[in-house]
Amino acid sequence: MGFLCSSSSSIVFKLGVSIIFLVSFSGYTPADAYDPLDPSGNITIKWDIITWTGDGYVATVTLYNFQQYRHIQAPGWTLGWSWAKREVIWGMNGGQTTEQGDCSKFKGTIPHCCKKTPSVVDLLPGTPYNQQVANCCRGGVINSWAQDPATAVSSFQLTVGQAGTTNKTVRVPKNFTLKAPGPGYTCGPGKIVKPSRFVGTDKRRVTQAMMTWNVTCTYSQFLAQRTPTCCVSLSSFYNSTIVPCPTCSCGCRNTSQPGNCVDSKGPRIASVVVPNTGKSLYVPPLVQCTNHMCPVRIHWHVKVNYKAYWRVKVTITNFNYNMNYSQWNLVVQHPNFDNLTQTFSFNYKPLIPYASINDTGILWGVKFYNDLLMQAGPYGNVQSELLFQKEASAFTLEKGWAFPRRIYFNGDNCVMPPPDSYPWLPNTASHKPISSWFAAILGSISLLLTAFSHGML
């Protein structure tokens, strides 16, 4: 058994092949953002000053999602910062600020935004071409790096005034924030780096930015929500027991108010922040009543044991009536992934954060087939089967070896059942009564035959 404690009252218990989180989110340390399956994952914001203007500059701001399996889903990212001086935004392409602010002191041309702390969002698909820039206008949705690096980038361009017109007079903005779409990301300060270089379309000329600074943002599931977002259930062909998700994995059922399944006094069930007509941007999830109360459940079923292979069926079920999951992904850690032979209806890519260990893979849907996990209902599930080749020195069905060590859904760690509840193999003890019964019958027959042969009957 191992323990991992931070300055908050959060404790991680590690038992066998399962990790169980008992968390109280009263504090946060940088170690909470470290992900052992994606140790270098982050979102890097690059701010390139392309040209100077009369009172400022034109800059291209690009968000690079270097996280292997954590993407930004609808309604997309929101990037904020605080200006170091009295800068204003004269105009934007590929993005827009959510508020204009007080621009009453300007006459004639009115700035796009006069706020000291602007918040920028991506434009929607279908934006006119004269308002677009490269890698914009996807509604703030950014794919994970492992799924599609080409769509793991988002950009916008802004014209900044009252900012200074040289490298010595320009000041780097402060207090960067990133919502994707809710909390969870912590951004460091902007750091001036070597200017970016750009290769021309003919690849014969290289230009460079006037000035460049980078901002790095890291994710913590502890900051994103108070409760988990998913859980795991298990079953196998060799045992009729179905191990369900642990009770109250993501919240507890409300038993006091009929017709309302979510307990308002308990932890808020995790969901995504979505646009709302009211003042609050949070829309509570309408979750199907279950013992685990999780929006998403992953079921791992050990299906068949062949001579040289074994097969697993994976099913992802959505219990949230208020949300679809686009571009979803599943990360599974299991020691036999180095011998994965075939996936039947999911895409697969190995994740190898440590060169000598290949025990983790990312699975995601096939485009236009099952890359959208629909809301709760008859179509609210996706499934596939995985075929593994056996490794003679390691393969066993004993002691829960065939079940995953951990599972992530959309980058969040899912609650696993306790190891002592895993489906067990039938052992010889279960056959002892049958063996004794047969032995008694054979003994009786033997006595009868002996007696008959001696003429006693």
Tab-separated table of all heavy atoms in Angstrom, residues 46-84:
chain	number	residue	atom	x	y	z
A	46	LYS	N	1.503	30.929	-27.729
A	46	LYS	CA	2.599	31.678	-28.353
A	46	LYS	C	2.062	32.996	-28.888
A	46	LYS	O	1.102	33.028	-29.659
A	46	LYS	CB	3.224	30.859	-29.479
A	46	LYS	CG	4.436	31.525	-30.136
A	46	LYS	CD	5.009	30.670	-31.243
A	46	LYS	CE	5.704	29.438	-30.676
A	46	LYS	NZ	6.947	29.823	-29.946
A	47	TRP	N	2.685	34.082	-28.444
A	47	TRP	CA	2.259	35.434	-28.823
A	47	TRP	C	3.342	36.024	-29.704
A	47	TRP	O	4.424	36.368	-29.229
A	47	TRP	CB	2.071	36.257	-27.557
A	47	TRP	CG	1.367	37.574	-27.700
A	47	TRP	CD1	1.764	38.644	-28.445
A	47	TRP	CD2	0.167	37.983	-27.036
A	47	TRP	NE1	0.888	39.691	-28.304
A	47	TRP	CE2	-0.103	39.326	-27.441
A	47	TRP	CE3	-0.713	37.370	-26.150
A	47	TRP	CZ2	-1.202	40.034	-26.971
A	47	TRP	CZ3	-1.807	38.078	-25.683
A	47	TRP	CH2	-2.059	39.396	-26.094
A	48	ASP	N	3.084	36.135	-31.005
A	48	ASP	CA	4.066	36.624	-31.982
A	48	ASP	C	3.672	38.006	-32.467
A	48	ASP	O	2.588	38.186	-33.061
A	48	ASP	CB	4.153	35.679	-33.184
A	48	ASP	CG	4.740	34.332	-32.824
A	48	ASP	OD1	5.798	34.307	-32.177
A	48	ASP	OD2	4.129	33.301	-33.194
A	49	ILE	N	4.546	38.997	-32.240
A	49	ILE	CA	4.331	40.330	-32.801
A	49	ILE	C	4.832	40.306	-34.247
A	49	ILE	O	6.030	40.140	-34.508
A	49	ILE	CB	5.057	41.406	-31.978
A	49	ILE	CG1	4.458	41.459	-30.559
A	49	ILE	CG2	4.946	42.767	-32.663
A	49	ILE	CD1	5.114	42.489	-29.654
A	50	ILE	N	3.909	40.472	-35.192
A	50	ILE	CA	4.229	40.335	-36.608
A	50	ILE	C	4.740	41.639	-37.207
A	50	ILE	O	5.673	41.663	-38.005
A	50	ILE	CB	2.995	39.832	-37.388
A	50	ILE	CG1	2.480	38.513	-36.782
A	50	ILE	CG2	3.332	39.649	-38.860
A	50	ILE	CD1	3.503	37.400	-36.769
A	51	THR	N	4.119	42.750	-36.810
A	51	THR	CA	4.505	44.044	-37.365
A	51	THR	C	4.144	45.146	-36.381
A	51	THR	O	3.284	44.966	-35.508
A	51	THR	CB	3.808	44.286	-38.718
A	51	THR	OG1	4.284	45.502	-39.279
A	51	THR	CG2	2.299	44.372	-38.549
A	52	TRP	N	4.811	46.295	-36.519
A	52	TRP	CA	4.510	47.444	-35.668
A	52	TRP	C	3.485	48.340	-36.365
A	52	TRP	O	3.409	48.390	-37.594
A	52	TRP	CB	5.775	48.260	-35.392
A	52	TRP	CG	6.884	47.489	-34.735
A	52	TRP	CD1	8.073	47.121	-35.291
A	52	TRP	CD2	6.893	46.975	-33.401
A	52	TRP	NE1	8.833	46.413	-34.397
A	52	TRP	CE2	8.136	46.306	-33.210
A	52	TRP	CE3	5.993	46.994	-32.346
A	52	TRP	CZ2	8.498	45.692	-32.037
A	52	TRP	CZ3	6.345	46.390	-31.154
A	52	TRP	CH2	7.568	45.751	-30.997
A	53	THR	N	2.709	49.071	-35.562
A	53	THR	CA	1.760	50.061	-36.081
A	53	THR	C	2.111	51.421	-35.479
A	53	THR	O	3.102	51.558	-34.746
A	53	THR	CB	0.309	49.678	-35.720
A	53	THR	OG1	0.170	49.663	-34.289
A	53	THR	CG2	-0.047	48.311	-36.273
A	54	GLY	N	1.269	52.410	-35.755
A	54	GLY	CA	1.573	53.745	-35.258
A	54	GLY	C	1.623	53.843	-33.750
A	54	GLY	O	2.419	54.610	-33.191
A	55	ASP	N	0.767	53.116	-33.055
A	55	ASP	CA	0.751	53.188	-31.581
A	55	ASP	C	0.826	51.812	-30.934
A	55	ASP	O	0.494	51.655	-29.761
A	55	ASP	CB	-0.512	53.902	-31.101
A	55	ASP	CG	-1.785	53.114	-31.397
A	55	ASP	OD1	-1.736	52.240	-32.297
A	55	ASP	OD2	-2.815	53.357	-30.745
A	56	GLY	N	1.246	50.800	-31.678
A	56	GLY	CA	1.301	49.464	-31.078
A	56	GLY	C	1.811	48.425	-32.054
A	56	GLY	O	2.811	48.626	-32.742
A	57	TYR	N	1.059	47.341	-32.158
A	57	TYR	CA	1.538	46.233	-32.993
A	57	TYR	C	0.383	45.338	-33.412
A	57	TYR	O	-0.726	45.417	-32.859
A	57	TYR	CB	2.576	45.412	-32.228
A	57	TYR	CG	2.070	44.824	-30.918
A	57	TYR	CD1	1.361	43.628	-30.884
A	57	TYR	CD2	2.318	45.464	-29.706
A	57	TYR	CE1	0.902	43.078	-29.693
A	57	TYR	CE2	1.869	44.933	-28.511
A	57	TYR	CZ	1.159	43.740	-28.505
A	57	TYR	OH	0.700	43.209	-27.322
A	58	VAL	N	0.671	44.496	-34.398
A	58	VAL	CA	-0.238	43.420	-34.802
A	58	VAL	C	0.401	42.103	-34.374
A	58	VAL	O	1.582	41.863	-34.669
A	58	VAL	CB	-0.487	43.426	-36.316
A	58	VAL	CG1	-1.374	42.244	-36.721
A	58	VAL	CG2	-1.128	44.741	-36.747
A	59	ALA	N	-0.360	41.263	-33.679
A	59	ALA	CA	0.180	40.004	-33.156
A	59	ALA	C	-0.716	38.845	-33.535
A	59	ALA	O	-1.941	38.988	-33.651
A	59	ALA	CB	0.324	40.065	-31.643
A	60	THR	N	-0.092	37.702	-33.725
A	60	THR	CA	-0.815	36.441	-33.896
A	60	THR	C	-0.633	35.614	-32.640
A	60	THR	O	0.506	35.365	-32.218
A	60	THR	CB	-0.289	35.660	-35.113
A	60	THR	OG1	-0.513	36.428	-36.303
A	60	THR	CG2	-0.996	34.317	-35.241
A	61	VAL	N	-1.741	35.211	-32.043
A	61	VAL	CA	-1.723	34.407	-30.815
A	61	VAL	C	-2.178	33.001	-31.175
A	61	VAL	O	-3.252	32.814	-31.765
A	61	VAL	CB	-2.638	35.010	-29.733
A	61	VAL	CG1	-2.587	34.171	-28.462
A	61	VAL	CG2	-2.235	36.454	-29.442
A	62	THR	N	-1.353	32.010	-30.822
A	62	THR	CA	-1.640	30.620	-31.188
A	62	THR	C	-1.628	29.746	-29.954
A	62	THR	O	-0.716	29.831	-29.130
A	62	THR	CB	-0.600	30.098	-32.199
A	62	THR	OG1	-0.527	30.988	-33.307
A	62	THR	CG2	-0.978	28.713	-32.687
A	63	LEU	N	-2.676	28.913	-29.818
A	63	LEU	CA	-2.760	27.939	-28.735
A	63	LEU	C	-2.389	26.573	-29.284
A	63	LEU	O	-3.038	26.081	-30.223
A	63	LEU	CB	-4.174	27.890	-28.140
A	63	LEU	CG	-4.636	29.075	-27.281
A	63	LEU	CD1	-4.961	30.293	-28.143
A	63	LEU	CD2	-5.872	28.688	-26.456
A	64	TYR	N	-1.341	25.969	-28.733
A	64	TYR	CA	-0.916	24.627	-29.119
A	64	TYR	C	-1.276	23.667	-27.991
A	64	TYR	O	-0.801	23.821	-26.858
A	64	TYR	CB	0.594	24.579	-29.354
A	64	TYR	CG	1.093	25.401	-30.503
A	64	TYR	CD1	1.523	26.715	-30.315
A	64	TYR	CD2	1.143	24.875	-31.796
A	64	TYR	CE1	1.985	27.478	-31.373
A	64	TYR	CE2	1.610	25.643	-32.865
A	64	TYR	CZ	2.023	26.931	-32.639
A	64	TYR	OH	2.490	27.681	-33.691
A	65	ASN	N	-2.093	22.669	-28.311
A	65	ASN	CA	-2.458	21.661	-27.316
A	65	ASN	C	-1.478	20.496	-27.407
A	65	ASN	O	-1.651	19.583	-28.218
A	65	ASN	CB	-3.897	21.182	-27.540
A	65	ASN	CG	-4.342	20.202	-26.458
A	65	ASN	OD1	-3.694	20.062	-25.420
A	65	ASN	ND2	-5.448	19.525	-26.696
A	66	PHE	N	-0.456	20.509	-26.574
A	66	PHE	CA	0.545	19.449	-26.575
A	66	PHE	C	0.169	18.292	-25.648
A	66	PHE	O	0.994	17.434	-25.360
A	66	PHE	CB	1.905	20.013	-26.158
A	66	PHE	CG	2.503	20.949	-27.167
A	66	PHE	CD1	2.859	22.234	-26.817
A	66	PHE	CD2	2.685	20.543	-28.482
A	66	PHE	CE1	3.409	23.100	-27.748
A	66	PHE	CE2	3.234	21.404	-29.426
A	66	PHE	CZ	3.600	22.686	-29.051
A	67	GLN	N	-1.080	18.266	-25.187
A	67	GLN	CA	-1.546	17.160	-24.361
A	67	GLN	C	-1.919	15.984	-25.266
A	67	GLN	O	-2.627	16.150	-26.246
A	67	GLN	CB	-2.744	17.586	-23.512
A	67	GLN	CG	-2.412	18.721	-22.548
A	67	GLN	CD	-3.634	19.245	-21.835
A	67	GLN	OE1	-3.800	19.097	-20.637
A	67	GLN	NE2	-4.508	19.875	-22.580
A	68	GLN	N	-1.458	14.805	-24.898
A	68	GLN	CA	-1.654	13.642	-25.757
A	68	GLN	C	-3.118	13.236	-25.855
A	68	GLN	O	-3.569	12.777	-26.903
A	68	GLN	CB	-0.811	12.469	-25.234
A	68	GLN	CG	0.678	12.680	-25.385
A	68	GLN	CD	1.103	12.760	-26.838
A	68	GLN	OE1	0.620	12.026	-27.687
A	68	GLN	NE2	2.014	13.668	-27.131
A	69	TYR	N	-3.875	13.349	-24.785
A	69	TYR	CA	-5.240	12.821	-24.811
A	69	TYR	C	-6.278	13.735	-24.151
A	69	TYR	O	-7.416	13.314	-23.941
A	69	TYR	CB	-5.296	11.440	-24.139
A	69	TYR	CG	-4.624	11.370	-22.785
A	69	TYR	CD1	-5.268	11.804	-21.634
A	69	TYR	CD2	-3.348	10.859	-22.660
A	69	TYR	CE1	-4.654	11.734	-20.405
A	69	TYR	CE2	-2.719	10.776	-21.433
A	69	TYR	CZ	-3.383	11.215	-20.308
A	69	TYR	OH	-2.757	11.149	-19.084
A	70	ARG	N	-5.921	14.947	-23.854
A	70	ARG	CA	-6.909	15.865	-23.264
A	70	ARG	C	-7.206	16.955	-24.281
A	70	ARG	O	-6.328	17.728	-24.647
A	70	ARG	CB	-6.371	16.451	-21.958
A	70	ARG	CG	-7.408	17.280	-21.193
A	70	ARG	CD	-6.885	17.671	-19.823
A	70	ARG	NE	-6.811	16.502	-18.951
A	70	ARG	CZ	-5.675	15.938	-18.548
A	70	ARG	NH1	-4.522	16.414	-18.952
A	70	ARG	NH2	-5.697	14.878	-17.759
A	71	HIS	N	-8.447	16.998	-24.751
A	71	HIS	CA	-8.812	17.987	-25.760
A	71	HIS	C	-9.728	19.039	-25.156
A	71	HIS	O	-10.135	18.937	-23.996
A	71	HIS	CB	-9.484	17.303	-26.957
A	71	HIS	CG	-10.801	16.678	-26.623
A	71	HIS	ND1	-10.935	15.406	-26.137
A	71	HIS	CD2	-12.068	17.157	-26.716
A	71	HIS	CE1	-12.202	15.124	-25.938
A	71	HIS	NE2	-12.910	16.171	-26.291
A	72	ILE	N	-10.038	20.043	-25.940
A	72	ILE	CA	-10.967	21.093	-25.521
A	72	ILE	C	-12.236	20.936	-26.340
A	72	ILE	O	-12.215	21.029	-27.560
A	72	ILE	CB	-10.353	22.493	-25.729
A	72	ILE	CG1	-9.095	22.646	-24.877
A	72	ILE	CG2	-11.370	23.572	-25.373
A	72	ILE	CD1	-8.395	23.975	-25.073
A	73	GLN	N	-13.327	20.674	-25.666
A	73	GLN	CA	-14.583	20.399	-26.345
A	73	GLN	C	-15.486	21.631	-26.311
A	73	GLN	O	-15.170	22.632	-25.666
A	73	GLN	CB	-15.288	19.207	-25.699
A	73	GLN	CG	-15.564	19.387	-24.217
A	73	GLN	CD	-16.020	18.093	-23.564
A	73	GLN	OE1	-16.179	17.076	-24.209
A	73	GLN	NE2	-16.219	18.123	-22.258
A	74	ALA	N	-16.598	21.560	-27.035
A	74	ALA	CA	-17.542	22.676	-27.081
A	74	ALA	C	-18.056	22.978	-25.668
A	74	ALA	O	-18.214	22.064	-24.868
A	74	ALA	CB	-18.716	22.313	-28.003
A	75	PRO	N	-18.260	24.244	-25.359
A	75	PRO	CA	-18.252	25.427	-26.228
A	75	PRO	C	-16.886	26.087	-26.411
A	75	PRO	O	-16.834	27.238	-26.851
A	75	PRO	CB	-19.207	26.368	-25.500
A	75	PRO	CG	-19.028	26.035	-24.062
A	75	PRO	CD	-18.792	24.551	-24.016
A	76	GLY	N	-15.810	25.383	-26.108
A	76	GLY	CA	-14.495	25.872	-26.501
A	76	GLY	C	-13.759	26.669	-25.445
A	76	GLY	O	-14.235	26.902	-24.333
A	77	TRP	N	-12.556	27.107	-25.832
A	77	TRP	CA	-11.655	27.799	-24.912
A	77	TRP	C	-12.024	29.267	-24.757
A	77	TRP	O	-12.639	29.880	-25.620
A	77	TRP	CB	-10.210	27.682	-25.385
A	77	TRP	CG	-9.950	28.124	-26.800
A	77	TRP	CD1	-9.877	27.336	-27.912
A	77	TRP	CD2	-9.748	29.471	-27.262
A	77	TRP	NE1	-9.644	28.098	-29.040
A	77	TRP	CE2	-9.554	29.407	-28.668
A	77	TRP	CE3	-9.712	30.711	-26.647
A	77	TRP	CZ2	-9.332	30.543	-29.444
A	77	TRP	CZ3	-9.491	31.852	-27.420
A	77	TRP	CH2	-9.304	31.752	-28.802
A	78	THR	N	-11.593	29.818	-23.610
A	78	THR	CA	-11.674	31.261	-23.350
A	78	THR	C	-10.330	31.676	-22.760
A	78	THR	O	-9.913	31.157	-21.719
A	78	THR	CB	-12.801	31.614	-22.367
A	78	THR	OG1	-14.052	31.174	-22.889
A	78	THR	CG2	-12.857	33.115	-22.122
A	79	LEU	N	-9.647	32.589	-23.436
A	79	LEU	CA	-8.324	33.038	-23.010
A	79	LEU	C	-8.428	34.458	-22.465
A	79	LEU	O	-8.991	35.341	-23.111
A	79	LEU	CB	-7.353	32.994	-24.191
A	79	LEU	CG	-5.917	33.466	-23.924
A	79	LEU	CD1	-5.238	32.559	-22.910
A	79	LEU	CD2	-5.118	33.525	-25.223
A	80	GLY	N	-7.868	34.654	-21.261
A	80	GLY	CA	-7.903	35.975	-20.649
A	80	GLY	C	-6.528	36.402	-20.163
A	80	GLY	O	-5.629	35.577	-19.977
A	81	TRP	N	-6.361	37.699	-19.948
A	81	TRP	CA	-5.112	38.236	-19.413
A	81	TRP	C	-5.371	39.648	-18.897
A	81	TRP	O	-6.446	40.230	-19.094
A	81	TRP	CB	-4.019	38.256	-20.490
A	81	TRP	CG	-4.310	39.133	-21.674
A	81	TRP	CD1	-4.102	40.490	-21.787
A	81	TRP	CD2	-4.913	38.728	-22.910
A	81	TRP	NE1	-4.522	40.942	-23.008
A	81	TRP	CE2	-5.004	39.894	-23.725
A	81	TRP	CE3	-5.350	37.503	-23.425
A	81	TRP	CZ2	-5.545	39.847	-25.004
A	81	TRP	CZ3	-5.878	37.472	-24.700
A	81	TRP	CH2	-5.978	38.631	-25.476
A	82	SER	N	-4.370	40.219	-18.255
A	82	SER	CA	-4.415	41.618	-17.803
A	82	SER	C	-3.334	42.395	-18.536
A	82	SER	O	-2.169	41.968	-18.572
A	82	SER	CB	-4.172	41.712	-16.283
A	82	SER	OG	-5.175	41.047	-15.563
A	83	TRP	N	-3.707	43.537	-19.103
A	83	TRP	CA	-2.709	44.369	-19.779
A	83	TRP	C	-1.741	44.968	-18.768
A	83	TRP	O	-2.122	45.326	-17.649
A	83	TRP	CB	-3.383	45.486	-20.557
A	83	TRP	CG	-4.151	45.044	-21.772
A	83	TRP	CD1	-5.493	45.190	-21.981
A	83	TRP	CD2	-3.623	44.432	-22.951
A	83	TRP	NE1	-5.844	44.692	-23.215
A	83	TRP	CE2	-4.709	44.218	-23.840
A	83	TRP	CE3	-2.357	44.025	-23.348
A	83	TRP	CZ2	-4.566	43.628	-25.081
A	83	TRP	CZ3	-2.204	43.431	-24.600
A	83	TRP	CH2	-3.283	43.252	-25.443
A	84	ALA	N	-0.489	45.087	-19.158
A	84	ALA	CA	0.528	45.660	-18.259
A	84	ALA	C	0.442	47.181	-18.211
A	84	ALA	O	0.807	47.799	-17.207
A	84	ALA	CB	1.924	45.226	-18.718
